[in-house]
Amino acid sequence: MSLPNELLEFILIYLSSYDMIESFYGLNKRLNFLINQFPYKIDVAKKKKGWLKKSLSLFEPLITNIKFNHSQLQILFPTKSTILNQYPYLKSITWNYRFASNPNNHLSESYLNIFKTKCKSLILNLDTDDINDDYMTLNHNIALLLLFQNDSIIEKLILKDISDLSILWFSFKPSILKINEYLKELTIKLHYIHDLFILIEYLPKLEYLNVEVCELDKNDKYDYKNIQNKKNKLSSSLKYLIIDSLDFSYDRLLLFTEPFQKSLQYLTLNMSVDEQINGKILESTIHSQIPNLKEFKFIFQISSYKQNIDINNDLDKLISTFHSTSYWSDHPVMCYHDRSIPCFTIVSLPWILKETDTITDEILCYRTNLTIPLQINNIKSIYLASTPITLKFLKFIKETFPKLNQMIISWHTCSVDSEIFQRRNRIILNTIKTLKYYGSTDDLEYIDFLLLTPNIRCLIVDGTTIHVINSYIHENQQIALICEQISDLNIFREYEYCDEDETKETFPNALISSNEI
């Protein structure tokens, strides 16, 4: 206590919110004052019921941000009427919202009605394993309660789909919607493209929009051009726009962005289109039309279903359009062909690659407007599927993605060239720490792939593969040594196919789990 406040604050910033409160709060007024200066964020999603009942009262008056599971709702907030008194500083909620067909869903909606008048930020991690009428009703009600009512003070809303089925798409009709003057940031998945046009009409203060759109309604009768007549009613503050869609035409995209050309500063697009897109078109329709644009990131997948295409010639023509103007000299681009879709893909660099996006050896024939060798430092994980794994491909991966630490391989769709295991040719992927195998395999070449990742610490595989490894280590000492250094082993299915004692002997230093992926 002889230390000045400035030094005490340096100590407190290294403590978690739990430790700070449990160790120092209540000892004296000075410490209480210092602790109250810190935003108090707490995650109780993994806390047991006994801890919540015993310890939560210590924290309630200080909590500014809280994350919890759906099952904990009534323990944390036993009476809706006392929420304001229990949590006087509460401003942000992250709710792991598990949908099930039961009467509690109506209770959940009543809590949402309170939270939307109390909090500035709300994140709903939405999960379900079933679609039925109850789910669709709840889905619709959430949208109405949080988006299109004029009594909500929420400024930041994230509706995140964490379900395995990826089916949580929102859709709504404009007849009962009201304008929301508070919402500034929104992340959402929409069912139809016309839902996006409806959405933007009722959120005039929106500054940030991150939207994934599922599809175009086959019976769509929405008048898209009507948006031009409503420019004065739309947000003049929209600065950040992120659109991810496989069914959004480029013409419709331009129609949507037109009212926001003066305000947009950051634009990110991940789209699959039938129209022919190139550098000249992007510059004339995006860059030159949005004068305040500071950052433009994109992935365009352009369909290539026509017969007898000349891939190399078409790639040369495509990349030439990104050499033609001064704008593209400062904005690197890469393009390549993917036979599995099939399509030509154009990406701005650095590449925004999702963990679920696959790449094949066709990327070896990429084109770029760069004058230096391609190197992408932001990508930490790649997913190989429907491709031969060759020496040339591995060399490209190592040189192009120097910060790579995770590799996912779909063995039932990939093939391995035996040349990659020859000592004189071997490419060592020494940055890989996590290796994830999809598909069962008893092919020893796939097990030998571990030899190319000598620094692996996390292995995610199925039980059949582990069974093969357990037998194989007795004849391959190098594989045995690599298995010994693994600290995290997740057998995500067919756990019963491998002997538990043998597995512990093969992976003596690993924490073994069986979590689904």
Side-chain angles (χ1 to χ4, degrees), residues 260-298:
F260 314 108
Q261 287 176 347
K262 292 183 179 179
S263 62
L264 272 180
Q265 297 180 20
Y266 302 89
L267 179 61
T268 301
L269 303 172
N270 186 353
M271 300 174 59
S272 179
V273 296
D274 292 325
E275 300 100 323
Q276 292 303 305
I277 305 297
N278 60 43
K280 292 180 179 179
I281 291 173
L282 289 176
E283 185 172 6
S284 64
T285 57
I286 299 288
H287 176 253
S288 64
Q289 299 300 318
I290 306 178
N292 297 315
L293 194 62
K294 297 178 180 179
E295 186 175 86
F296 181 30
K297 299 177 181 179
F298 55 83

Side-chain angles (χ1 to χ4, degrees), residues 164-201:
D164 293 333
L165 301 177
S166 190
I167 52 178
L168 296 167
W169 305 91
F170 286 88
S171 188
F172 25 76
K173 298 178 181 179
S175 55
I176 55 174
L177 307 183
K178 297 179 182 178
I179 290 177
N180 183 335
E181 295 275 359
Y182 283 89
L183 195 63
K184 296 179 180 179
E185 298 182 36
L186 175 62
T187 299
I188 191 171
K189 290 174 67 172
L190 298 178
H191 197 164
Y192 297 118
I193 291 171
H194 69 253
D195 290 321
L196 176 58
F197 283 74
I198 293 172
L199 175 89
I200 204 68
E201 290 182 37

Side-chain angles (χ1 to χ4, degrees), residues 446-464:
Y446 298 152
I447 308 303
D448 283 338
F449 194 86
L450 289 168
L451 298 173
L452 308 183
T453 59
N455 296 318
I456 183 176
R457 293 295 182 270
C458 176
L459 181 62
I460 303 170
V461 291
D462 66 2
T464 300

Side-chain angles (χ1 to χ4, degrees), residues 35 40-41 127 221 390 419:
I35 290 171
Y40 188 61
K41 302 177 182 180
D127 192 8
K221 296 180 180 179
T390 62
E419 186 184 16

Side-chain angles (χ1 to χ4, degrees), residues 20-54:
M20 193 187 302
I21 299 295
E22 291 182 339
S23 301
F24 296 114
Y25 196 75
L27 293 180
N28 57 48
K29 291 182 178 179
R30 181 185 169 205
L31 283 172
N32 287 357
F33 172 80
L34 288 174
I35 290 171
N36 284 334
Q37 308 308 305
F38 289 83
Y40 188 61
K41 302 177 182 180
I42 183 171
D43 181 354
V44 300
K46 296 182 179 179
K47 294 293 183 181
K48 295 182 179 179
K49 188 175 181 179
W51 183 92
L52 293 175
K53 289 187 173 181
K54 180 181 177 181

Side-chain angles (χ1 to χ4, degrees), residues 172-413:
F172 25 76
K173 298 178 181 179
S175 55
I176 55 174
L177 307 183
K178 297 179 182 178
I179 290 177
N180 183 335
E181 295 275 359
Y182 283 89
L183 195 63
K184 296 179 180 179
E185 298 182 36
L186 175 62
T187 299
I188 191 171
K189 290 174 67 172
L190 298 178
H191 197 164
Y192 297 118
I193 291 171
H194 69 253
D195 290 321
L196 176 58
F197 283 74
I198 293 172
L199 175 89
I200 204 68
E201 290 182 37
Y202 291 86
L203 303 175
K205 303 298 182 182
L206 206 60
E207 298 176 4
Y208 173 98
L209 176 59
N210 184 341
V211 59
E212 184 176 351
V213 186
C214 181
E215 61 185 340
L216 178 69
D217 187 353
K218 293 179 180 178
N219 299 314
D220 191 4
K221 296 180 180 179
Y222 184 80
D223 181 10
Y224 289 95
K225 291 187 178 181
N226 193 38
I227 193 172
Q228 296 173 330
N229 301 324
K230 299 181 179 181
K231 285 184 180 180
N232 295 333
K233 297 180 180 180
L234 302 180
S235 173
S236 59
S237 307
L238 189 63
K239 298 176 182 178
Y240 297 81
L241 177 59
I242 302 170
I243 297 179
D244 190 335
S245 177
L246 298 178
D247 207 6
F248 208 129
S249 72
Y250 191 72
D251 289 341
R252 195 155 284 150
L253 168 73
L254 297 179
L255 193 62
F256 180 78
T257 57
E258 184 179 346
F260 314 108
Q261 287 176 347
K262 292 183 179 179
S263 62
L264 272 180
Q265 297 180 20
Y266 302 89
L267 179 61
T268 301
L269 303 172
N270 186 353
M271 300 174 59
S272 179
V273 296
D274 292 325
E275 300 100 323
Q276 292 303 305
I277 305 297
N278 60 43
K280 292 180 179 179
I281 291 173
L282 289 176
E283 185 172 6
S284 64
T285 57
I286 299 288
H287 176 253
S288 64
Q289 299 300 318
I290 306 178
N292 297 315
L293 194 62
K294 297 178 180 179
E295 186 175 86
F296 181 30
K297 299 177 181 179
F298 55 83
I299 300 176
F300 288 105
Q301 293 181 324
I302 306 168
S303 301
S304 59
Y305 287 101
K306 63 181 182 180
Q307 299 294 319
N308 302 319
I309 62 171
D310 186 340
I311 293 175
N312 287 321
N313 186 50
D314 287 350
L315 283 172
D316 288 337
K317 288 181 179 179
L318 183 55
I319 200 61
S320 69
T321 65
F322 292 94
H323 284 289
S324 57
T325 64
S326 59
Y327 172 76
W328 294 116
S329 64
D330 296 324
H331 296 81
V333 173
M334 176 182 73
C335 61
Y336 64 96
H337 185 264
D338 189 338
R339 62 178 173 266
S340 63
I341 297 180
C343 70
F344 289 96
T345 299
I346 313 172
V347 303
S348 59
L349 298 176
W351 194 356
I352 312 164
L353 187 67
K354 297 179 184 177
E355 186 175 299
T356 54
D357 292 337
T358 63
I359 65 172
T360 72
D361 65 330
E362 281 194 298
I363 199 173
L364 293 170
C365 298
Y366 75 91
R367 304 290 192 274
T368 179
N369 63 347
L370 287 169
T371 56
I372 58 175
L374 181 65
Q375 194 171 80
I376 306 175
N377 291 304
N378 65 306
I379 290 180
K380 304 295 192 296
S381 175
I382 61 170
Y383 182 5
L384 308 184
S386 303
T387 182
I389 300 176
T390 62
L391 193 65
K392 188 176 180 181
F393 192 21
L394 289 181
K395 184 179 180 181
F396 170 83
I397 289 171
K398 181 172 183 175
E399 293 176 350
T400 308
F401 310 112
K403 302 293 179 66
L404 197 66
N405 58 36
Q406 174 175 273
M407 183 175 283
I408 305 168
I409 303 176
S410 174
W411 283 124
H412 57 284
T413 65

